[in-house]
Amino acid sequence: MTDTRSDRMDLFTGDHTGLAVPAHAEALRTAGAEFLTWAFRAFGAIGDDNAVTRVVEFVPCGGGSTGDKLFLTIEYAQPETGLDTRLFVKFSRDFADERRDRQRWEMQSEVPFEMLTRRPGFPIRVPRAYFADYHGETGTGLIVTERVAYGEGTIEPHRRKCLDHLTMDDPLPYYREVVTALARLCAAHKAGRLAPDIDAVFPFDPVSGSADPIRYDAAGLQAELDRAFAFAERAPQLLPPEVRSPEFHAQIARDAHRIREHEAALQRYLTGNRDLIALCHWNAHIDNCFFWRDAAGDLHTGLIDWGRVGQITFGSILWGGLSAAHHDIWDHHIDELLALFASEYHAHGGPRVTKDEVEFHLTLHMATMGVARVLAFPEVILFRLPECVEAEGPQDAMFLPVDPARNSLHIYTVFLKFWRRQDFGAALDRLLARA
């Protein structure tokens, strides 16, 4: 596809390094090893006595929601232990697709985060950063990191979201590792071990860092509820019986309208306790993780794709990391994982918070965010896969190639089951009684 947009650029001046940085794949190909040498030196990834001598492999990488992505293989003048030759590159811009290009602002906070990860003692494993810079005025950025070698050596294969039932015999150890990593990063932030200016670089925004705002008026919310209930009637085989009963639908309707009416109180609670807010990953689903086992056979995890990273509430963190997990996690192990999060958070320097408070925070986050956003998921499912009404069930093979439909159905079901288990209306009553 030919790029014809008037805002297309080949180079941008990085706000952090001041370098002339390629803005898209072909510009990077042209800049080649010479640019990579100066970039890696400026970022501290290699010393002034080393250089990138050759780009051996330059392969497009599909997927993602933002700009171009590449796999690079390079050679150095002085190969060193721990210096990666197989790299992953992503640009913030997609000059050929305006819809994807609108996501370019996600990289704005990711660049300083990549800088942060190079500090000694960073508490969790992430792909090693070799270069990152961004131009705030245009939203143009470039990040170069270690390439995660999924399925090679000790690194386990990549896992797609909402397919735990096909890719894992026992998902629980994996989600223990994810929750542990999230808690330890939060703890390092609260203990002051990340950087002295962390709160200035990543200020908390109560709008972007908490549950989405509810944009419906009462009539609009009722229309959304009616569409959700109609989906359950039209395709009952896609949902568990307990979340599509008339009694539960009536409860959903009552609770949803009360949640909308008390949204301000809910958001004051969700954003009002700084012990429950920290710098963290907002989308730590299994497809944004990599796993490996050490010589003793113990499982470990690292996290990738840090777009939009910032200070967020614990409800946002836990929902973002667990909402796509196997139903067995939510049905039988959520209490254990929330207790683990609270324990790891305190053990590694965070304030003492109870498992019950973490659970209450997650419950009210899900109530608020769910009314704002998740109730509309049946529309996404039907739009992306209209024939789903003929499926035998939620694990029908027709869902396998259609990620948006499969993911939305799974997360919507998790949401409804937790609503029934936690009784969002009763949780709201407890909050109002506190106030």
Side-chain angles (χ1 to χ4, degrees):
M1 182 181 295
T2 302
D3 299 334
T4 59
R5 287 169 45 188
S6 60
D7 63 343
R8 176 182 165 86
M9 61 180 72
D10 293 326
L11 301 172
F12 66 93
T13 301
D15 291 340
H16 299 276
T17 66
L19 294 177
V21 181
H24 54 80
E26 286 308 309
L28 178 61
R29 187 193 293 273
T30 300
E34 183 179 8
F35 165 74
L36 293 173
T37 296
W38 287 108
F40 290 5
R41 288 175 179 174
F43 206 65
I46 60 174
D48 290 343
D49 60 344
N50 205 353
V52 177
T53 58
R54 188 164 74 101
V55 176
V56 179
E57 179 187 43
F58 191 99
V59 178
C61 170
S65 60
T66 54
D68 288 341
K69 297 173 181 64
L70 303 169
F71 293 136
L72 293 187
T73 301
I74 62 174
E75 292 179 352
Y76 298 97
Q78 301 180 39
E80 301 171 12
T81 300
L83 200 56
D84 296 286
T85 59
R86 301 171 70 195
L87 304 174
F88 173 71
V89 177
K90 69 175 179 178
F91 298 88
S92 67
R93 303 297 300 271
D94 188 333
F95 296 102
D97 187 327
E98 188 170 0
R99 179 188 60 81
R100 284 166 53 87
D101 197 48
R102 287 197 291 268
Q103 305 297 108
R104 65 188 182 273
W105 309 105
E106 292 184 2
M107 193 180 281
Q108 185 160 22
S109 62
E110 189 175 7
V111 164
F113 181 82
E114 295 293 347
M115 296 175 177
L116 188 67
T117 66
R118 293 192 56 83
R119 290 175 175 257
F122 193 74
I124 66 172
R125 179 75 164 91
V126 299
R128 283 179 291 274
Y130 283 78
F131 179 75
D133 213 339
Y134 189 79
H135 185 237
E137 184 177 345
T138 61
T140 310
L142 168 66
I143 290 175
V144 183
T145 70
E146 161 197 8
R147 188 194 317 176
V148 177
Y150 285 108
E152 299 181 21
T154 60
I155 305 294
E156 296 192 358
H158 184 259
R159 290 177 171 84
R160 291 166 62 191
K161 190 182 306 182
C162 300
L163 287 177
D164 293 355
H165 62 288
L166 297 180
T167 61
M168 299 181 196
D169 293 331
D170 181 6
L172 181 58
Y174 293 87
Y175 287 101
R176 285 182 182 141
E177 288 301 310
V178 173
V179 164
T180 296
L182 296 173
R184 290 182 181 181
L185 178 57
C186 292
H189 171 202
K190 306 309 279 192
R193 297 199 307 272
L194 294 180
D197 59 347
I198 195 75
D199 290 313
V201 177
F202 301 96
F204 175 62
D205 180 345
V207 176
S208 63
S210 184
D212 292 350
I214 299 172
R215 295 182 171 87
Y216 302 111
D217 60 14
L221 174 56
Q222 187 58 53
E224 196 67 80
L225 288 165
D226 290 343
R227 286 189 286 270
F229 300 156
F231 174 76
E233 293 176 3
R234 187 178 177 196
Q237 75 280 14
L238 299 182
L239 297 170
E242 65 270 21
V243 301
R244 51 180 168 82
S245 70
E247 295 79 13
F248 185 55
H249 281 181
Q251 178 186 339
I252 289 174
R254 290 193 303 270
D255 291 351
H257 282 288
R258 293 187 63 226
I259 289 164
R260 189 193 71 83
E261 292 165 6
H262 293 284
E263 181 188 13
L266 286 159
Q267 290 287 14
R268 279 195 300 271
Y269 166 72
L270 293 174
T271 61
N273 184 349
R274 294 309 296 259
D275 290 349
L276 302 176
I277 297 169
L279 179 71
C280 206
H281 204 302
W282 68 276
N283 183 23
H285 286 147
I286 207 79
D287 59 323
N288 283 332
C289 304
F290 58 100
F291 299 94
W292 72 96
R293 293 187 184 273
D294 60 23
D298 294 329
L299 187 68
H300 302 275
T301 191
L303 299 177
I304 67 171
D305 195 359
W306 290 86
R308 288 175 52 191
V309 62
Q311 290 196 56
I312 57 177
T313 66
F314 282 10
S316 301
I317 293 166
L318 290 163
W319 174 250
L322 296 174
S323 54
H326 193 289
H327 288 297
D328 185 66
I329 296 296
W330 286 89
D331 293 344
H332 304 294
H333 301 293
I334 193 67
D335 289 332
E336 173 192 338
L337 293 175
L338 297 181
L340 176 64
F341 182 89
S343 173
E344 289 288 323
Y345 179 56
H346 181 61
H348 288 82
R352 185 182 296 278
V353 296
T354 67
K355 174 264 178 184
D356 288 344
E357 190 66 28
V358 172
E359 181 179 60
F360 191 58
H361 199 276
L362 174 62
T363 298
L364 293 181
H365 171 84
M366 289 176 63
T368 310
M369 175 278 311
V371 170
R373 188 173 184 183
V374 183
L375 284 175
F377 277 21
E379 297 170 67
V380 177
I381 299 164
L382 289 170
F383 176 77
R384 295 290 187 173
L385 191 63
E387 62 269 30
C388 72
V389 296
E390 305 298 331
E392 292 185 0
Q395 294 182 7
D396 192 294
M398 72 168 64
F399 283 100
L400 195 59
V402 189
D403 290 356
R406 183 188 69 253
N407 297 344
S408 296
L409 178 60
H410 179 93
I411 293 170
Y412 181 63
T413 304
V414 165
F415 167 69
L416 292 180
K417 289 170 68 177
F418 200 69
W419 191 329
R420 186 172 180 272
R421 166 186 152 147
Q422 296 297 104
D423 191 341
F424 287 176
L428 175 60
D429 289 339
R430 292 198 300 275
L431 175 68
L432 298 177
R434 283 189 184 191

